[in-house]
Structure formats: structure tokens, C-alpha cells
Amino acid sequence: MTTLSRVSLVLDALAESRGRLSLSELAARTGLPRSSVHRTIQHLEEELYVVRTPGRPGYALGPGVLKFGMAGHLHLLSANRGQLVALARATNENAELAIFSGREVVIVDQVASPERLKGVTKVGRSFSLHASCVGKALLAALPPARAEDLLPQELEQFTDTTVTNRLELQNEVQLVQRVGVAVDIEEHDLGICALATAMTGPTGALQAIAVVMPTSRFAAKGPAALEALKELNPVIDLPGAREHLERKKRVGLG
């Protein structure tokens, strides 16, 4: 394994953690020998990519990573802004951009429609991978083993329509992989439905773009939103996506 690979594993483990990690915990999470983790951490500390606080055990990400994060974030937003604006205009609904954030998915940009959804989805809000269309779209773009590794042992139920059965979720993710579109009918928030597709974006990063709307408009506007997403992501199988949408509507909307 290369030095860069070890650095990536350690930084990913720290990014996914909600607290500090000791050398032993890092070794367990990365699968690296503790001695290799220690050497890697020493180099990262020198550049302030990781830090320790006196009197507190473990390591956390340091200020050295901010210069990369801020530059990358601004590049991501500017590269995708035009697509979001076009999608919001075409659907007259909110258009959102999402990326992985550890074991969740986070909304990093949004273009609101004139009929803006207030207080539901905001930039910076994170969602569980299994209970959101952006999450399922991103999972479908990964190798199955990696997607399974990102999911928690127990799938949290947010609403009555949240998919919490692992086999059912696996089957749905496989379907999303085939048709190119994920559907969320009140699976994370009551009164909110969405469609999303995942792709490698202009910056080379894996991302998901979604159309989000109130449930009251979803039955009528879902098909048009599918066509608008197809304009952004030509690999979408429109007939298959329509069938997937109708099946989800029968289950979720009755």
C-alpha cells in the first residue's frame, strides 16, 4: 500500500468520526497496523492536517485540511450552479446538489423555485443514505460492497414509508442503478417528495442532483421532473425510471 493510500484511509476515518480517534481506534477502522497509523499521523501532524488537544485523548482533523475543503467546495458550487438553475426553471421546483459526507449525504447547494419550500431542506442539512433519494442515488453509483459498508447496522425509520429492510433497500438500490433515478416519497420528511440522479460532475466528483417538491404536487409533476433530470444525465433509462416512479407512487401515495 502506498503512503498516499494510508494517508487517505486515516483522513477518511477521521472525517467519518463524530469525535476524536486514538491510534488503536484508527488502526481498527482503517485495517492498518498500529505502527503504520502512528507514522502516518506523525507526518499529518507536522502539516496540521490532524491535531491533538492537550489533556484530551485522540486525534481530529486540523486546520490544514480547510484550504483544500474551501477551494474544492467553491469549485464544486460554481461548476454546477448553471445546471441547478436550469433544473429549477424547467420544473418550477427546488433543485439541490448533494455529495457524500462520511456515512451520510449533505446538501451543498440549492436553487429555490418561486414556490420555495420553507424550513424543510436547507444547504448544509444532512440525510441518511437509506432514507433519501440523493442517498440512494449515490449508493447506486458505488460498488455493492462499498455501499453496504457505508450503511449502519440498523436502518433508522423516519416515517411510515422509510425503507428499513436491508434486502428491500438492496433491491431498490440495484433498480436505481439500472434506471438512473431514485425516488423518495415522504421517506425522510412527511409532506416532501423528491427525485434524484447521481453522476460524476464537472469537477470529477461523484454527486447527486435532485428535484424536491411538496407531496401535493408530486403526482402531477413527477413525470416532468424525470424528463428534466434526463436532460442533465443522459444515461437515465426514462421508460424504466417512469415505471419505478409509478410503482413508488402506488406504494407511497396509495
Side-chain angles (χ1 to χ4, degrees):
M1 181 178 290
T2 66
T3 299
L4 182 58
S5 297
R6 290 192 291 270
V7 166
S8 178
L9 286 173
V10 170
L11 291 178
D12 284 347
L14 290 171
E16 293 175 5
S17 172
R18 295 187 181 275
R20 295 171 178 272
L21 296 177
S22 67
L23 291 177
S24 296
E25 289 170 327
L26 281 167
R29 294 195 181 203
T30 62
L32 297 172
R34 193 176 186 278
S35 58
S36 295
V37 171
H38 186 232
R39 288 194 300 271
T40 302
I41 283 289
Q42 285 181 315
H43 294 309
L44 291 172
E45 273 194 288
E46 291 174 2
E47 302 297 331
L48 296 181
Y49 295 140
V50 301
V51 294
R52 286 181 291 178
T53 301
R56 296 180 61 186
Y59 298 85
L61 292 179
V65 300
L66 290 178
K67 58 185 177 184
F68 299 111
M70 292 178 66
H73 182 70
L74 292 174
H75 184 37
L76 178 69
L77 300 192
S78 63
N80 285 281
R81 191 69 177 181
Q83 288 187 322
L84 291 185
V85 170
L87 184 61
R89 287 176 178 171
T91 61
N92 198 31
E93 300 292 349
N94 285 13
E96 298 179 350
L97 176 68
I99 60 172
F100 280 114
S101 177
R103 296 179 183 274
E104 295 180 315
V105 59
V106 63
I107 305 299
V108 295
D109 198 10
Q110 178 191 82
V111 174
S113 75
E115 301 179 77
R116 182 175 181 174
L117 297 174
K118 297 183 182 297
V120 176
T121 305
K122 297 180 180 179
V123 172
R125 186 182 179 188
S126 61
F127 290 87
S128 296
L129 294 172
H130 72 283
S132 63
C133 61
V134 285
K136 285 184 280 191
L138 289 171
L139 286 174
L142 297 177
R146 176 58 177 158
E148 180 65 23
D149 181 61
L150 287 174
L151 293 169
Q153 289 299 313
E154 293 189 10
L155 304 179
E156 181 178 355
Q157 182 161 6
F158 296 91
T159 71
D160 289 342
T161 57
T162 305
V163 178
T164 57
N165 180 280
R166 297 187 82 86
L167 180 58
E168 183 181 349
L169 177 64
Q170 183 182 54
N171 290 337
E172 183 170 348
V173 169
Q174 290 175 348
L175 176 59
V176 172
Q177 190 176 44
R178 292 198 299 273
V179 303
V181 173
V183 182
D184 170 0
I185 297 182
E186 298 190 335
E187 293 182 37
H188 199 284
D189 295 289
L190 293 175
I192 300 299
C193 297
L195 298 162
T197 188
M199 67 192 83
T200 300
T203 65
L206 180 61
Q207 60 188 40
I209 292 181
V211 180
V212 185
M213 66 188 79
T215 302
S216 60
R217 297 200 291 266
F218 189 70
K221 299 188 71 173
L226 274 181
E227 293 181 9
L229 287 173
K230 170 77 171 178
E231 290 294 318
L232 297 184
N233 190 5
V235 304
I236 290 174
D237 172 12
L238 202 51
R242 287 175 179 147
E243 183 178 345
H244 177 40
L245 172 62
E246 292 304 315
R247 187 183 303 112
K248 293 285 285 189
K249 282 164 58 177
R250 287 195 295 270
V251 175
L253 300 179

